[in-house]
């Protein structure tokens, strides 16, 4: 126990302009580790049920974990918790880069932001604590200019900054938080920052990140290194192609949605494959934070054509899906342009792309009429529409005002059966893997705590998608709940570490355990870590139950359960959901009738207060 | 003499990939001081007459002066010499910011770049010298991304970088060199960088800038401070409004050109006045380099409207003129957008704006037909055309290919009398002060070494424009050559210091003398400094004579000598040029018949070799 390291959080109340350092209780570390699970319990404890997500009562929790800022490959990530303005539910949103490690080096494992500033402000955090600074001059700026201008104002180019763009200022419900060229995109944490008049957080930390047992940590790093060496194809795949590497396989398997999920593959896909365009457009392989052998960011520049001069880091598979395949656009440079624009304006590219593809289908079906779009024909394949639509979303003007509401509210307003192809779960637009083609993904989307996310609810592009290799077995429900559950179990630990899920995809659980034990001075077994994971999973669920979520909310869009695609390897397949869900509830220790975490199990996990809460529903 | 400080230059040959440090001979310092005049003699000596500006034989000379990087207010400037691809003549292009001081701190007063790299490269300069690095990954990037990506590659955010954008890569003849958000815009030095496959120069210098006599320098700084205190209105004017402050006075006096110089004022002007929009759009007053009380850069952001999210530093008076008044556009946010775009793509905003306004007038007059513009109606006042036209110029595509040639070549190709309203001198588009309304400006444009520049040929917004205060006398020729000559005389010293001409506008010549003497250890009198200035003026002229320039080249566009504006305070006035020119030649010691510097005078100035050259013509 002596070796254990004290960990602190910084609490900033923007309403009262007060800043306080608090010790994170040892018991919280023991039960919740850090990052995701630790943020979960703080969010649960500190937010009253039913608050408005954009009211001062919501909080933002920026969290890192015991591995952040260490020399463990994949250590450069942070997580932002809040109540989501998009779903009204739990939200935890991750991003890579230097911001997390810098926050940790300033001496804090968590930053809790409360209240609302009277005027635009930014936070300045250093080893000495935090100051609230005027951000009037930054309001209206995009996220790249904001970072640059803060560095200039502070006359120190080494600050690491997380900030919002115009989309966050205007409280678009799917606005994200951007640091460097990376966005914590999903769930609208950028809108919450905007609602608090908080433009940015600038951090400069120079403390050493302490490790409880240096020798043990060195040994654990050797294990990590060996795990990475044992997965050369995976490491190389990310290093050469990034997450976009998946598209050829996914398209071939009928997993990549096209035309707002009306197709599962397309002949045009080859134009979107990074394998096709890497040589022409990728300028550099970029590491988000050292060390990491994955180097998964691809810096691309269009040198010619209508989008000449555009630079972006990415696009990831998801953005190639959301704005590309799903809008039936196969010009990769158009996707580069909107990827860059989403980062600059601070918009989630999945929700933005799906809101647009949903409008395209409504336009195609005559549910949206030409005179309702400001004279623009919002048609599939029209890449030249995208930049203006995205601007209009960020500024919530014209047709962009409608698109900024997201597919759930758009479809509720439109009616005419559009709800069946509004591709969201619980208000969050879903990722680019079709559950009709790989059944475990249905649970990732429909039973995930933050809605239709392909990551938080499991991990749809790692183990679960190994399904596509199983031949016709991928169309069966059998064993699929277990796949989703196992991925989520590990994912919550990875997100609590905090480790990058790409890098950690190569790590054995025993390696993660050794890394965590060496860095913290604890002596967790794998099973004990899984208990921490289960706590996180329950708390996220309990948070949502408190907000009204029941079993009936765990559903997929009708298109996935009632329609099948017309051609390709997945033609004829739909999701039969009931059976999948029951299996998953059983594994999760959630009540089969209600979907509420089982109180007795919560008590076994030391979550008596939450158990008592759950018994009230 | 003991106190004098050795000064070095760095010579980089991109063809042979060699780097050499050379001592700048003491005699060169004594005769040419630094910056502009020193660069003049090197350019004259090292370039053979008749070379192609975009051939490897052209050179780029980046120069600073004895005051660069010191604590003298206005010290943050550098100058780039080359043979201009726009005019085929002498070019010296200045910009403010940290690049110049950083270069000086690396130990060099000059950087001479020769030859041509086989593939895109960038230069990395430190106290230890220079290295040539691969810039393949930077090619195609805009100037802001380029600076950021180099800092990331070098893992040091403190580098100061000068670079080109796509316009320079594509060798647009009016492409500039950008550092931070500032451009050395005029004359096409960016195209020369592009022709050499040189994307950028990154500098990090940590040497102290040495001062020969610290006590004397402290005293000189007191004089500088006192000069600035004696000009409170000027300092405050720049600090609050920047160079844009001039527009209300200029428009009222009929000096600001509108609609491609068809008008000298407009009722719409009020919308362009920074006095009108400062409160709405200016986020911050920005210093290009400390110390300076002028703080003349205005950081603006449009928060709403079609250009929402655009940030730029500026626009200066000249950009409000070139894209605003002269294109008959009065939406300041449209000007912010194109100002930012020109900086990012690396385009001179005066030449770009005037090339467009010229095309607008040709379109109005039917000289350019709708089917020749790719279907676009290039009409005065159409602000929404500008972004696309500017992109197309930078990439030399479509109508942009034509616009990228500049007004001289455009009008030569079009004919139909368009030459008379192609608003350039010697191929360089002219600044925003109408000589019909203030006669000395005629000489600034027509007898300036780099063509129609409002700065290099004199200084059209300081003393010379005091003319507008002289009532009807401003329409007379008498005494106007002397005004232009005196301004130029001081300007060449200021540019050799190198000092900012805005800041130095407040300095007495005696103050500049004290600053220069203290920093160098010389003991120049004011008259001796003026001899240095005269040397510079002659060398620039001699360079041009060698390229073919004679008296017949010193002309204004016909519009200024044959047409007058229809309304406003300057209606009826034209420029009677012959008399002005003779007066100016006399003052300059240039031959009245030919315009060639008088050899005997050159010999008196110690320029015997140039005298011999001149005698051959």
């Amino acid at each position: 126990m002596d070796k254990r390291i004290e960990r602190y959080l910084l609490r900033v109340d923007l309403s009262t302009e007060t800043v306080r350092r608090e010790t994170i209780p040892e018991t919280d570390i023991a039960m919740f580790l850090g990052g995701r699970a630790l943020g979960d319990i703080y969010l649960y404890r500190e937010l009253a049920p039913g608050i408005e997500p954009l009211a001062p009562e919501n909080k933002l929790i920026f969290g890192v974990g015991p591995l952040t800022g260490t020399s463990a490959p994949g250590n450069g990530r942070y997580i932002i918790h809040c109540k989501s303005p998009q779903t009204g539910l739990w939200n935890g949103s991750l991003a890579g880069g230097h911001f997390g490690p810098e926050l940790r080096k300033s001496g804090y494992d968590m930053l809790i932001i409360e209240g609302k500033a009277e005027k635009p402000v930014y936070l300045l955090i250093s080893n000495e604590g935090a100051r609230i600074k005027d951000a009037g001059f930054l309001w209206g700026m995009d996220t790249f200019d904001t970072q640059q201008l803060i560095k200039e104002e502070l006359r120190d180019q080494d600050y690491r900054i997380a900030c919002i763009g115009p989309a966050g200022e205007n409280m678009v419900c799917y606005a994200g938080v951007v640091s460097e060229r990376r966005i914590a995109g999903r769930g609208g944490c950028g809108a919450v920052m905007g609602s608090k008049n908080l433009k940015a957080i600038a951090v400069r930390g120079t403390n050493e990140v302490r490790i409880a047992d240096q020798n043990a940590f060195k040994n654990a790093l050797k294990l990590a290194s060996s795990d990475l060496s044992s997965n050369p194809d995976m490491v190389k795949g990310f290093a050469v192609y990034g997450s976009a590497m998946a598209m050829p396989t996914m398209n071939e398997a009928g997993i990549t949605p096209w035309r707002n999920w009306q197709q599962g593959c397309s002949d045009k896909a080859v134009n979107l494959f990074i394998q096709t365009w890497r040589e022409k457009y990728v300028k550099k392989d970029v590491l988000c934070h050292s060390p990491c052998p994955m180097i998964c960011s691809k810096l691309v520049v269009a040198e010619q054509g209508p989008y000449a001069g555009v630079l972006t880091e990415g696009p990831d598979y998801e953005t190639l899906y959301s704005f590309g395949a799903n809008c039936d656009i196969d010009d990769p440079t158009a996707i580069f342009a909107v990827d860059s624009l989403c980062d600059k304006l601070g918009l989630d590219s999945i929700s933005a792309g799906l809101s647009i593809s949903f409008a395209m289908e409504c336009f195609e079906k005559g549910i949206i009429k030409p005179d309702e779009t400001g004279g623009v024909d919002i048609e599939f394949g029209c890449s030249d529409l995208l930049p203006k639509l995205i601007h209009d979303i960020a500024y919530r003007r014209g047709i962009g005002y409608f698109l900024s509401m997201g597919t759930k509210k758009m479809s509720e307003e439109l009616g005419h059966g559009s709800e069946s192809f509004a591709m969201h779960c619980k208000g969050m637009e879903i990722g680019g893997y079709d559950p009709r083609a790989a059944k475990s993904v249905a649970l990732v989307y429909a039973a995930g705590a933050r809605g239709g996310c392909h990551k938080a609810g499991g991990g749809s592009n790692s183990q679960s998608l190994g399904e596509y290799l199983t031949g016709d077995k991928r169309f069966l429900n059998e064993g699929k709940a277990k796949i989703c559950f196992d991925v989520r179990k590990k994912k919550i630990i990875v997100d609590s570490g905090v480790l990058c899920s790409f890098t950690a995809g190569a790590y054995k659980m025993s390696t993660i355990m050794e890394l965590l034990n060496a860095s913290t001075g604890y002596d967790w077994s794998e099973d004990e870590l899984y208990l921490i994971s289960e706590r996180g999973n329950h708390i996220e669920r309990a948070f949502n139950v408190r907000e009204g979520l029941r079993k009936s909310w765990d559903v997929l869009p009708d298109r996935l359960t009632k329609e099948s695609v017309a051609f390709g390897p997945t033609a004829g397949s739909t999701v039969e959901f009931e059976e999948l869900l029951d299996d998953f509830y059983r594994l999760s220790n959630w009540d089969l009738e209600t979907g509420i975490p089982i109180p007795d199990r919560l008590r076994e996990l030391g979550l008596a207060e939450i158990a008592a809460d759950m018994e009230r529903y």
Side-chain angles (χ1 to χ4, degrees), chain A residues 10 62 78 98-108 111 122-127 129-130 150-151 154 156-162 179-180 200-206:
Chain A
L10 197 63
F62 286 73
Y78 66 102
H98 296 82
F99 182 81
E102 199 74 27
L103 179 63
R104 187 128 199 261
K105 285 178 194 156
S106 76
Y108 304 103
L111 169 65
Y122 75 96
L123 272 186
L124 183 59
I125 298 179
S126 67
N127 300 357
I150 289 176
K151 290 175 183 179
L154 300 174
D156 184 343
Q157 296 279 323
D158 289 327
Y159 271 89
R160 300 297 182 173
I161 295 152
S179 187
E180 289 138 21
I201 302 164
V203 185
R204 184 88 175 90
T206 56

Side-chain angles (χ1 to χ4, degrees), chain A residues 398-451:
Chain A
I399 183 74
Y401 183 86
F402 188 59
L403 295 165
S404 77
M405 296 168 16
T407 52
K408 179 171 188 281
K409 288 189 185 148
M410 287 164 76
S411 66
E412 286 168 0
E413 198 154 298
L414 286 172
H416 291 90
S418 65
E419 297 91 336
S420 72
F421 56 86
M423 303 309 292
H424 69 87
C425 288
K426 304 184 177 76
M428 180 180 279
E429 287 70 22
I430 61 186
Y433 305 90
D434 193 331
R436 290 172 294 189
K439 297 293 166 72
S440 69
V441 185
L443 293 164
V444 175
Y445 296 148
R450 72 173 181 181

Side-chain angles (χ1 to χ4, degrees), chain A residues 309-328:
Chain A
V310 157
L311 171 148
T312 195
E313 229 175 272
D316 277 322
Y317 172 85
E318 291 301 324
T319 306
L320 287 167
Y321 139 69
S322 65
F323 285 114
N326 213 40
C327 292
D328 209 24

Side-chain angles (χ1 to χ4, degrees), chain A residues 1-56:
Chain A
M1 289 292 281
D2 289 332
K3 293 187 296 181
R4 292 192 195 156
I5 292 159
E6 290 246 296
R7 288 157 78 190
Y8 303 98
L9 67 84
L10 197 63
R11 187 180 295 275
V12 178
D13 188 322
L14 295 172
S15 299
T16 59
E17 297 182 3
T18 52
V19 177
R20 200 168 70 226
R21 187 175 90 149
E22 300 174 15
T23 301
I24 301 175
E26 180 85 23
T27 47
D28 282 346
I29 304 295
M31 286 179 71
F32 306 107
L33 181 51
R36 178 164 170 181
L38 188 64
D40 287 346
I41 190 67
Y42 273 82
L43 197 77
Y44 187 93
R45 283 177 191 153
E46 300 204 2
L47 292 196
I51 60 157
E52 276 298 317
L54 297 177

Side-chain angles (χ1 to χ4, degrees), chain A residues 305-307 323 327-331 333-335 337-338 341 356 360 376-392:
Chain A
Y307 306 102
F323 285 114
C327 292
D328 209 24
I329 289 167
D330 66 346
D331 173 1
T333 65
I335 314 303
V338 295
L341 209 50
I356 291 172
M360 286 172 165
V376 185
D377 290 350
I378 304 186
E379 288 173 341
F380 282 114
C382 288
S383 54
D384 54 346
L385 288 179
L386 294 185
K388 188 179 174 330
L389 290 180
I390 291 167
H391 265 116
D392 287 348

Side-chain angles (χ1 to χ4, degrees), chain A residues 331-359:
Chain A
D331 173 1
T333 65
I335 314 303
F336 304 162
V338 295
D339 191 46
S340 166
L341 209 50
C342 284
D343 286 346
K344 286 183 178 175
L345 297 172
L347 275 175
D348 175 42
S349 65
I350 303 179
S351 288
L354 266 73
S355 297
I356 291 172
S357 70
F358 171 74

